[in-house]
Amino acid sequence: MFDDVRSEAFQQLHARVAEVARYGAAAAVLGWDQETFMPPKGQPARARQLRALAQLMHQRGTDPQVGKWLAQAEADMRSQGWDPDSDPARFLKVARREYDRATKVPTEWVAEFAQLTSEAKMHWQQARAQKDFTLFAPYLRRIVAMKRDYAAFFAPYDHVYDPLLDAFEPGMKTATVQQLFARLRTEQVALLKAILARPQVDDAFLYRPFPVAQQKAFVRWVLEHMGFDFEAGRLDESAHPFTTGFSVHDVRLTTRYNETDFFGQAFYSSLHEMGHGLYGQGVNPDYEETPLAGGASLGVHESQSRLWENLVGRSRPYLTWLLPHLRQAFPGVLDDVDLDAFYRGVNKVQPSLIRTEADEVTYNLHIMLRLDLEIALLEGSLDVDDLPEVWNRRMEEDLGVRPGNDAEGVLQDIHWAMGGLGYFPTYALGNVMSAQIWQAVRRDLPDLDAQMQAGRFADLLAWLREHIHRYGRKFEPLEVLRKATGQDLQAEPYLDYLRAKYGEIYGL
Amino acid sequence: MFDDVRSEAFQQLHARVAEVARYGAAAAVLGWDQETFMPPKGQPARARQLRALAQLMHQRGTDPQVGKWLAQAEADMRSQGWDPDSDPARFLKVARREYDRATKVPTEWVAEFAQLTSEAKMHWQQARAQKDFTLFAPYLRRIVAMKRDYAAFFAPYDHVYDPLLDAFEPGMKTATVQQLFARLRTEQVALLKAILARPQVDDAFLYRPFPVAQQKAFVRWVLEHMGFDFEAGRLDESAHPFTTGFSVHDVRLTTRYNETDFFGQAFYSSLHEMGHGLYGQGVNPDYEETPLAGGASLGVHESQSRLWENLVGRSRPYLTWLLPHLRQAFPGVLDDVDLDAFYRGVNKVQPSLIRTEADEVTYNLHIMLRLDLEIALLEGSLDVDDLPEVWNRRMEEDLGVRPGNDAEGVLQDIHWAMGGLGYFPTYALGNVMSAQIWQAVRRDLPDLDAQMQAGRFADLLAWLREHIHRYGRKFEPLEVLRKATGQDLQAEPYLDYLRAKYGEIYGL
């Protein structure tokens, strides 16, 4: 679609960007394989391969020639008067942003960081298996130091955390996140307190045995039924569920199976990853291998995964549709569980240690803890060695539970080992956006509940495709949100959603 | 191990070769994924990714700077008097060969050929599914034309086929192959004729149902027992079994499962690929990411796969060990089949249409047909459009069977769609080498039969590791053969093996 842009510089830039995107897709395949199928002894060679690709991509992407093409294409755009919201103009805008960011970072840093995080990931896995943070601490110390160097490349900044956050959530500021989080925190803590004063929900039936072979068949059937295209994607297994993609026509999801925790593991993590996957499959295919490919940000991506996992997947209408199918696929297992009990069970609120298993009310509190600790590490007010104790104390203060060991605490997530400081806030942003988007969906699809109850998701998916997915990275996260919802980012829809839903469930 | 080579140019060359090897490993991962797990719609993006990597590798590998480093390192070698059989000297020799070959071919040709063969592979699959050669013919025509161009880059040559063959079997000449094949042909046709005059062997029991889940478990157990390291490799499924590797510590095998053809499909193809895989896992790890990594040639590689598949896997001592394990893994299925019947069944000789399913006596005849047709296509004496008819007529003449459609005939193999003209002869070379190597093994391990009968393969594997595997590409194919067997390539051991084995089975 960009072939008719009358700018030689644009076309040369386009070719280079496509070249780098192909290397990026190759690196993504290697990353996917590493988590799904790679035999353990393959790790050192894989780390070297990924380092080589990271270095190559940075070199080819920051080549001064790219800067010249970019400047010339921008001049062509001005002289030819392109519509600033046209695809080619937005192509240049995103390419400019990426080039300016990438050229601030030396290739040596990129290569060293790729190597360090590969090693760190291995040592994190070992540390986690042995429940001993001290095995991982030296790597985290180096990662924090390198991330501090990274922030310095972008000086001056308002907040040392800004450049890190901006890498995952373009345009987002630490101050904005902190303000939002303060508001969420007050309300979610109050809601949690009220819930904990009420009688507990019984969800023991969720942990009955569901044979793994049938779990696999059922999850695949559900995802296919809900709109995920298995001709253009897969669902595999990995220790930590994730989604990646090498093309809009090749999107890979993973999940994990546990016979006695079907819903906590395979079912809801698959719905979650499917949300990412539907976004990935829904981007305008003309954007393949351009700066407009991919999702607008991790926050917008998470809004999609959380929407399908929670706003859809934990809603009463959805469960009304699902329960009979579950009964059919797993004969006898849920015969004594009625819809109301099932709905309350999958929405049980209970402070817990593990973020990925947290309910909707407590989830954001896990994120806030991570944000505060990341900032303290970067600012140097918290030493890496003190992290486990500070983590555990904060868990006790915020959630009233204390990890029994580092694996249940500070070592639970892979993100720091991957070098992803700046990443966690996007999870809470995604939650907030998901409810705001859901409000807009409901306005446009007044009979959505009836549709979901009948197992019809095509209108919902079409709405998301039209208002969000197809744009890819053409618009910035908050632009996407405004276009889809007519409003700026705000906490109220999410808080309203939580209060209404959990107020009803817990009789508040 | 090359760190102490006192040549700055050598070290720079080493770094560049390692870089290119890492891209090559990435491309191999993408190729593996394409055949095993990639969803169908992912194909076009994958073709672009593979083209980009092929182009990159050629550019980085043929950079004039590489030539300068190479020349300087060779000068350093001469002035420092390196042992010509030392690893660094052989490193330079292989690197020189590769550089000289690669620089003869323009990068444009490499990129175009990568694109063409990606497309051709898709169209070959469709043509094969529809049993219609005309759908594939235009692509094969372009491939033949490009291969002719390729040969021309290496002019002058003795034979137009020489440069193609040399790409897969370094140092091998078409004339040598033709001479060898003429000898094999006379003897194998005579042997076949004698066999066909004898009563047929009953192998109907091989096609009894063997549940696929148990096939998978059994094959994995056998491979692990025989020495394949699953911590450094995998066995997956693909339409066409193959072996690839991204490191000596990450070797991937594939096979396919058919409930009513356990031996023809999963069992013997897995033993075959395991032979390749053991070679891949056995190369000196110090050679990783150097020109000495990988196997000496496709022929030497095939000698290993055929050795494990046939010389071991279809021998009476091996089957003596295997049969009780089969009876245990598949209760009741083979209770009425004794060792002699089993041995005769898996060694049944019967002219058939499909190369990969051919017995040992007829296998090479399939290869000879392909070699003759490839040469005729290249020389222009055979037009692509006439290929199916010529193929079918030749099958009738040589084997007395005529394909009922193109899928059973000219479309059965993926090699031409991959651009692999020049590849097929290495299969027959591998057969011949395997018997020559086997003779040497037997000399050194006089109680090998007793070992195999007891399910002990460690001494055999250690012998192959010591005499073949560990050298990687350090020595040329015929050097490896001489080192391992003390002799030049010769047909007699293979012909003796066939005559003795099948003479006994068929009472000749």
Side-chain angles (χ1 to χ4, degrees):
Chain A
M1 79 178 309
F2 297 99
D3 291 352
D4 58 357
V5 176
R6 289 171 298 113
S7 162
E8 178 61 20
F10 181 92
Q11 295 304 344
Q12 286 175 304
L13 178 67
H14 187 189
R16 175 63 63 88
V17 165
E19 180 200 327
V20 175
R22 286 161 194 164
Y23 305 147
V29 176
L30 268 62
W32 170 84
D33 176 70
Q34 179 170 332
E35 301 302 320
T36 50
F37 293 111
M38 191 183 76
K41 292 182 184 168
Q43 178 65 57
R46 183 56 49 88
R48 293 193 300 268
Q49 293 150 10
L50 286 169
R51 180 190 170 122
L53 288 170
Q55 190 165 346
L56 171 73
M57 289 169 65
H58 193 263
Q59 274 165 346
R60 297 292 288 168
T62 60
D63 180 353
Q65 184 60 58
V66 174
K68 287 179 200 154
W69 288 328
L70 203 45
Q72 182 57 50
E74 286 164 341
D76 293 343
M77 171 172 69
R78 282 189 299 272
S79 68
Q80 295 175 21
W82 302 356
D83 171 0
D85 277 351
S86 67
D87 286 335
R90 288 294 186 146
F91 177 121
L92 285 185
K93 189 172 176 185
V94 180
R96 164 59 70 192
R97 176 188 141 82
E98 294 205 330
Y99 179 78
D100 287 349
R101 282 191 66 88
T103 49
K104 286 194 166 67
V105 183
T107 297
E108 297 71 44
W109 187 95
V110 173
E112 197 188 323
F113 196 67
Q115 180 87 18
L116 172 59
T117 52
S118 287
E119 292 170 10
K121 234 162 96 175
M122 282 189 279
H123 289 273
W124 166 76
Q125 278 167 352
Q126 290 164 8
R128 191 161 171 263
Q130 297 183 43
K131 302 173 181 162
D132 181 358
F133 177 74
T134 62
L135 299 175
F136 174 56
Y139 295 90
L140 183 55
R141 186 179 300 281
R142 286 173 60 199
I143 285 171
V144 171
M146 284 196 77
K147 280 291 211 177
R148 216 179 274 137
D149 293 343
Y150 179 87
F153 299 142
F154 294 87
Y157 41 69
D158 296 336
H159 192 291
V160 64
Y161 197 75
D162 278 350
L164 278 58
L165 182 59
D166 189 74
F168 300 108
E169 198 65 25
M172 184 57 64
K173 293 289 184 184
T174 309
T176 309
V177 168
Q178 286 175 319
Q179 221 170 349
L180 177 75
F181 280 16
R183 172 105 180 81
L184 293 173
R185 187 178 177 81
T186 310
E187 301 287 334
Q188 292 192 232
V189 166
L191 179 60
L192 178 61
K193 209 175 149 190
I195 288 170
L196 292 179
R198 302 286 304 160
Q200 283 290 293
V201 159
D202 176 22
D203 67 346
F205 59 88
L206 295 175
Y207 303 95
R208 292 173 181 170
F210 289 77
V212 167
Q214 282 137 270
Q215 286 189 32
K216 287 184 187 179
F218 187 75
V219 164
R220 191 188 153 107
W221 176 80
V222 167
L223 265 52
E224 195 149 27
H225 182 88
M226 293 177 77
F228 186 75
D229 181 359
F230 278 94
E231 294 279 296
R234 294 184 51 85
L235 175 65
D236 293 289
E237 288 174 65
S238 66
H240 302 271
F242 68 94
T243 297
T244 185
F246 323 132
S247 155
V248 298
H249 304 297
D250 193 352
V251 174
R252 312 281 176 107
L253 321 178
T254 73
T255 187
R256 55 187 169 197
Y257 299 92
N258 178 336
E259 188 177 69
T260 57
D261 188 13
F262 177 33
F263 297 94
Q265 305 293 330
F267 189 79
Y268 280 107
S269 89
S270 294
L271 280 199
H272 180 99
E273 302 306 333
M274 180 197 75
H276 288 301
L278 291 174
Y279 191 0
Q281 290 183 337
V283 175
N284 184 344
D286 291 337
Y287 294 171
E288 286 274 85
E289 299 171 351
T290 78
L292 306 183
S297 70
L298 290 187
V300 178
H301 239 298
E302 193 73 5
S303 79
Q304 299 304 292
S305 56
R306 298 293 276 180
L307 186 148
W308 288 97
E309 176 191 2
N310 291 328
L311 286 294
V312 175
R314 286 190 165 91
S315 73
R316 198 183 289 268
Y318 178 80
L319 296 170
T320 307
W321 167 74
L322 186 74
L323 188 55
H325 290 289
L326 274 169
R327 288 215 177 98
Q328 208 177 351
F330 302 92
V333 184
L334 294 172
D335 283 1
D336 59 336
V337 181
D338 68 14
L339 176 66
D340 194 59
F342 189 56
Y343 172 65
R344 291 161 59 86
V346 301
N347 285 295
K348 180 178 181 171
V349 174
Q350 184 168 38
S352 61
L353 297 169
I354 307 295
R355 173 186 62 83
T356 56
E357 298 167 13
D359 57 78
E360 292 181 276
V361 176
T362 57
Y363 188 96
N364 285 345
L365 303 177
H366 291 264
I367 300 303
M368 293 168 194
L369 172 155
R370 284 157 179 74
L371 172 65
D372 293 344
L373 298 189
E374 287 186 358
I375 291 175
L377 285 170
L378 282 168
E379 288 178 337
S381 61
L382 170 61
D383 189 84
V384 165
D385 290 338
D386 299 328
L387 195 55
E389 178 50 28
V390 174
W391 177 294
N392 293 350
R393 213 177 330 143
R394 173 78 180 259
M395 281 298 290
E396 228 169 340
E397 286 165 18
D398 282 10
L399 288 158
V401 292
R402 190 185 168 88
N405 59 58
D406 293 340
E408 294 176 351
V410 69
L411 288 174
Q412 68 182 263
D413 288 311
I414 197 174
H415 301 62
W416 290 345
M418 285 165 46
L421 283 85
Y423 186 132
F424 280 116
T426 68
Y427 287 132
L429 291 170
N431 281 332
V432 169
M433 290 181 200
S434 72
Q436 195 172 328
I437 292 166
W438 193 242
Q439 230 177 31
V441 172
R442 287 206 162 279
R443 252 197 319 268
D444 290 354
L445 301 175
D447 67 335
L448 183 58
D449 280 353
Q451 291 191 21
M452 290 196 292
Q453 207 161 317
R456 287 168 42 213
F457 307 99
D459 286 1
L460 170 59
L461 180 54
W463 192 98
L464 295 170
R465 288 262 145 99
E466 183 190 341
H467 294 90
I468 297 170
H469 299 178
R470 68 187 172 108
Y471 293 126
R473 283 204 302 170
K474 179 172 177 177
F475 299 112
E476 288 187 6
L478 297 183
E479 284 185 292
V480 173
L481 198 67
R482 261 193 300 275
K483 289 181 82 73
T485 71
Q487 296 187 298
D488 287 331
L489 181 70
Q490 43 182 312
E492 285 318 313
Y494 189 62
L495 292 171
D496 289 347
Y497 158 76
L498 290 181
R499 278 185 295 241
K501 177 173 178 178
Y502 292 93
E504 191 260 334
I505 291 175
Y506 283 92
L508 304 177
Chain B
M1 80 176 308
F2 297 99
D3 290 353
D4 57 358
V5 175
R6 288 170 300 113
S7 162
E8 177 62 20
F10 181 92
Q11 295 303 343
Q12 285 175 307
L13 177 68
H14 186 191
R16 174 64 63 87
V17 165
E19 182 200 326
V20 175
R22 286 162 193 162
Y23 305 147
V29 175
L30 268 62
W32 169 84
D33 176 70
Q34 177 168 334
E35 301 302 320
T36 50
F37 293 110
M38 191 183 76
K41 291 182 185 169
Q43 179 65 57
R46 182 57 49 88
R48 294 193 300 269
Q49 293 150 10
L50 286 169
R51 179 191 170 120
L53 288 170
Q55 189 164 348
L56 171 73
M57 287 168 66
H58 193 264
Q59 274 165 346
R60 298 292 288 169
T62 59
D63 180 352
Q65 183 60 59
V66 174
K68 286 179 200 155
W69 288 328
L70 204 45
Q72 182 58 51
E74 286 163 341
D76 293 342
M77 172 172 67
R78 282 190 299 273
S79 70
Q80 294 175 20
W82 302 356
D83 171 0
D85 277 350
S86 67
D87 286 334
R90 288 294 186 146
F91 176 121
L92 285 185
K93 189 172 177 186
V94 180
R96 163 60 69 192
R97 175 187 143 85
E98 296 206 329
Y99 179 77
D100 287 349
R101 282 191 66 88
T103 49
K104 288 195 165 67
V105 183
T107 297
E108 299 70 45
W109 187 95
V110 172
E112 197 188 325
F113 196 67
Q115 181 88 18
L116 171 60
T117 52
S118 286
E119 292 171 10
K121 232 163 97 175
M122 282 189 279
H123 289 273
W124 166 76
Q125 278 168 352
Q126 289 164 9
R128 190 161 172 263
Q130 297 183 43
K131 301 173 180 159
D132 182 358
F133 177 73
T134 63
L135 299 175
F136 175 56
Y139 295 90
L140 182 55
R141 186 178 300 280
R142 286 174 59 200
I143 286 171
V144 170
M146 283 196 77
K147 279 292 211 177
R148 218 179 274 137
D149 294 343
Y150 179 86
F153 299 142
F154 294 88
Y157 41 68
D158 296 335
H159 192 292
V160 63
Y161 197 75
D162 278 350
L164 279 58
L165 181 60
D166 188 75
F168 299 110
E169 198 65 27
M172 184 57 65
K173 294 286 183 186
T174 309
T176 309
V177 168
Q178 286 174 322
Q179 219 171 348
L180 176 74
F181 280 16
R183 171 106 181 82
L184 293 174
R185 188 177 177 80
T186 311
E187 301 287 335
Q188 292 193 231
V189 165
L191 179 59
L192 178 61
K193 208 174 151 192
I195 288 170
L196 293 179
R198 302 289 303 162
Q200 283 290 293
V201 159
D202 177 20
D203 68 346
F205 59 87
L206 296 175
Y207 303 95
R208 292 173 181 171
F210 290 76
V212 167
Q214 282 138 269
Q215 286 188 31
K216 287 184 187 181
F218 188 74
V219 164
R220 192 190 151 105
W221 176 79
V222 168
L223 265 52
E224 196 150 25
H225 182 88
M226 292 177 76
F228 186 75
D229 180 359
F230 278 93
E231 294 279 297
R234 292 183 53 86
L235 174 65
D236 293 289
E237 288 175 65
S238 67
H240 303 273
F242 67 94
T243 297
T244 185
F246 323 132
S247 154
V248 297
H249 304 297
D250 191 353
V251 174
R252 311 282 177 106
L253 321 177
T254 73
T255 187
R256 54 187 170 198
Y257 299 92
N258 178 337
E259 189 178 70
T260 57
D261 189 12
F262 176 34
F263 297 95
Q265 306 292 330
F267 189 78
Y268 279 107
S269 88
S270 295
L271 280 199
H272 179 99
E273 302 306 333
M274 180 198 74
H276 288 301
L278 291 174
Y279 192 177
Q281 290 183 339
V283 175
N284 184 344
D286 291 337
Y287 294 170
E288 286 273 85
E289 298 170 353
T290 78
L292 305 184
S297 71
L298 290 188
V300 178
H301 238 298
E302 194 73 6
S303 78
Q304 298 306 292
S305 56
R306 299 294 276 181
L307 185 148
W308 289 96
E309 176 191 1
N310 292 329
L311 285 294
V312 174
R314 285 189 165 92
S315 72
R316 198 184 287 268
Y318 179 80
L319 296 169
T320 307
W321 167 74
L322 186 73
L323 188 55
H325 290 289
L326 275 169
R327 289 217 177 96
Q328 205 177 355
F330 302 92
V333 184
L334 294 173
D335 284 1
D336 59 336
V337 181
D338 68 14
L339 177 66
D340 194 59
F342 190 57
Y343 173 65
R344 291 161 60 86
V346 302
N347 285 296
K348 180 178 182 172
V349 175
Q350 183 168 40
S352 62
L353 297 169
I354 306 295
R355 172 186 62 82
T356 56
E357 297 167 13
D359 58 77
E360 291 181 277
V361 175
T362 57
Y363 188 96
N364 284 344
L365 302 178
H366 291 264
I367 299 304
M368 293 168 194
L369 173 154
R370 285 156 179 74
L371 171 65
D372 293 344
L373 298 189
E374 287 186 359
I375 290 175
L377 285 169
L378 282 169
E379 287 177 339
S381 61
L382 170 60
D383 189 84
V384 165
D385 290 339
D386 299 328
L387 195 54
E389 177 49 29
V390 174
W391 177 292
N392 293 350
R393 211 176 334 144
R394 173 78 181 258
M395 281 298 290
E396 230 170 337
E397 287 166 17
D398 282 11
L399 289 158
V401 292
R402 189 183 170 89
N405 59 58
D406 293 341
E408 293 176 353
V410 68
L411 289 174
Q412 69 182 263
D413 287 311
I414 196 173
H415 301 63
W416 290 344
M418 285 166 45
L421 282 86
Y423 186 130
F424 280 117
T426 67
Y427 287 133
L429 290 170
N431 282 332
V432 170
M433 288 182 201
S434 72
Q436 196 172 327
I437 292 165
W438 193 242
Q439 229 176 31
V441 172
R442 287 207 163 278
R443 249 196 321 266
D444 289 355
L445 301 176
D447 67 335
L448 183 58
D449 280 352
Q451 291 191 20
M452 291 197 292
Q453 206 162 316
R456 285 167 44 212
F457 307 98
D459 286 1
L460 170 58
L461 180 54
W463 192 98
L464 296 169
R465 288 261 147 99
E466 185 190 340
H467 293 92
I468 296 171
H469 299 178
R470 67 187 172 108
Y471 292 126
R473 285 204 298 170
K474 178 171 177 176
F475 300 111
E476 289 187 7
L478 297 184
E479 283 186 293
V480 173
L481 198 67
R482 261 192 299 275
K483 288 180 83 73
T485 70
Q487 295 187 299
D488 287 330
L489 180 70
Q490 43 183 316
E492 285 318 314
Y494 190 61
L495 292 171
D496 289 345
Y497 160 74
L498 290 182
R499 277 186 295 240
K501 177 173 178 178
Y502 291 93
E504 191 260 333
I505 292 175
Y506 282 92
L508 304 177

